[in-house]
Amino acid sequence: MSVGETLRETFAVYRAHAGVLLPLAFWLFLISAVAEALTLHVLALFWLAPVVGLTVVTLYQGTVVRLVQDLQDGHRDSSVQDLMRSVLPVFWPLLGAAFVVAFGVIGGLVLLVAPGLYLLAMWAVVAPVIVVERCRVFDGLGRSRQLVRGNGWPVLGAVLVGFLIGAVASLGLSHLAEAIFDGEIVHLVFRVLAQTLAAPIAALIASVLYFRLLEIHARRPATPAADDLPPRLPTGLAEGSVPQQPGDGLG
């Protein structure tokens, strides 16, 4: 696995299916931005904006995973509505995993940078794992770690480069809007546009990484289970020799 190949495939899917990825992101993040604006001055509802934001991100990422899964045969067969509906059965495990990853990675970065980066790499494909394999939260975290093991550096590199690209694009558009236009509504719309452009990158990288890691693991030779190994000979007994029976000795 290489970072460059992962990013090339990510942006190839982005360009080919921007007509699906961008409108969906715009409307979902518009809902999140409106919820944030409405609760900004209501102290009792301060918790609502981050919850809605994480819910929107979770639903969007799950839909993108389904899109990339649908493209594995070379073309898209499902509508956007079908893709979103297919995420609903695993929405709660997906949301739970999003909370765990957010707390784990942010906590690791705050305390010590290295643990946060480690968790970011090991849990990079937990969303695709839960969506495709339909497992529970902690099973999904363990499965993600299993898939990433042995490819941690290229996985971390792809995730970080994708984050930087998305952050630069998002911040650039937001600052441009603040420099040119006035008014809270205009700024809100441009912030949503910035999120719309950036959101597909992270979701696509996670999805592309998942299916690439599946291919890598499928090509690896299977390690024989303990029951499949030949029985070990007793210590000191040469291979091919016959154990001496009682009474075989002279005298």
Side-chain angles (χ1 to χ4, degrees):
M1 176 181 290
S2 74
V3 175
E5 290 177 359
T6 301
L7 294 176
R8 277 193 294 272
E9 185 174 347
T10 294
F11 285 102
V13 177
Y14 193 133
R15 289 191 300 270
H17 300 277
V20 174
L21 295 166
L22 297 181
L24 177 62
F26 177 80
W27 289 111
L28 286 177
F29 285 102
L30 181 61
I31 293 172
S32 176
V34 169
E36 181 180 344
L38 292 176
T39 59
L40 187 62
H41 304 293
V42 182
L43 186 61
L45 297 177
F46 73 95
W47 54 269
L48 186 59
V51 170
V52 172
L54 192 57
T55 300
V56 163
V57 171
T58 300
L59 181 58
Y60 184 74
Q61 187 168 33
T63 305
V64 172
V65 172
R66 282 299 188 197
L67 172 65
V68 176
Q69 182 184 19
D70 195 18
L71 294 173
Q72 294 305 296
D73 61 356
H75 55 88
R76 182 166 64 91
D77 303 306
S78 304
S79 66
V80 178
Q81 292 79 9
D82 291 336
L83 294 173
M84 293 185 71
R85 278 195 294 267
S86 69
V87 179
L88 296 180
V90 294
F91 176 77
W92 291 112
L94 200 57
L95 184 62
F99 274 107
V100 173
V101 171
F103 281 116
V105 172
I106 293 173
L109 291 174
V110 169
L111 296 176
L112 293 168
V113 175
L117 295 177
Y118 174 81
L119 292 178
L120 183 63
M122 290 298 105
W123 293 344
V125 296
V126 64
V129 164
I130 291 176
V131 172
V132 176
E133 302 181 18
R134 293 179 176 268
C135 54
R136 293 174 294 182
V137 173
F138 291 102
D139 293 334
L141 295 171
R143 172 64 170 158
S144 175
R145 185 172 180 271
Q146 178 191 16
L147 288 173
V148 172
R149 186 183 294 120
N151 292 282
W153 286 113
V155 167
L156 180 61
V159 171
L160 290 179
V161 172
F163 172 78
L164 290 175
I165 293 173
V168 169
S170 179
L171 290 174
L173 188 57
S174 297
H175 287 310
L176 179 64
E178 291 177 1
I180 298 176
F181 302 101
D182 291 324
E184 291 186 5
I185 295 180
V186 175
H187 290 169
L188 182 145
V189 171
F190 270 85
R191 182 155 56 86
V192 171
L193 288 174
Q195 291 175 319
T196 298
L197 292 174
I201 299 174
L204 285 172
I205 285 176
S207 303
V208 169
L209 283 172
Y210 170 74
F211 289 104
R212 278 184 169 272
L213 290 170
L214 283 184
E215 292 176 3
I216 290 172
H217 278 255
R219 291 197 300 266
R220 286 179 179 171
T223 303
D227 293 338
D228 297 331
L229 296 174
R232 298 182 63 181
L233 295 174
T235 304
L237 186 62
E239 186 177 353
S241 63
V242 179
Q244 195 176 51
Q245 299 297 326
D248 286 348
L250 296 177

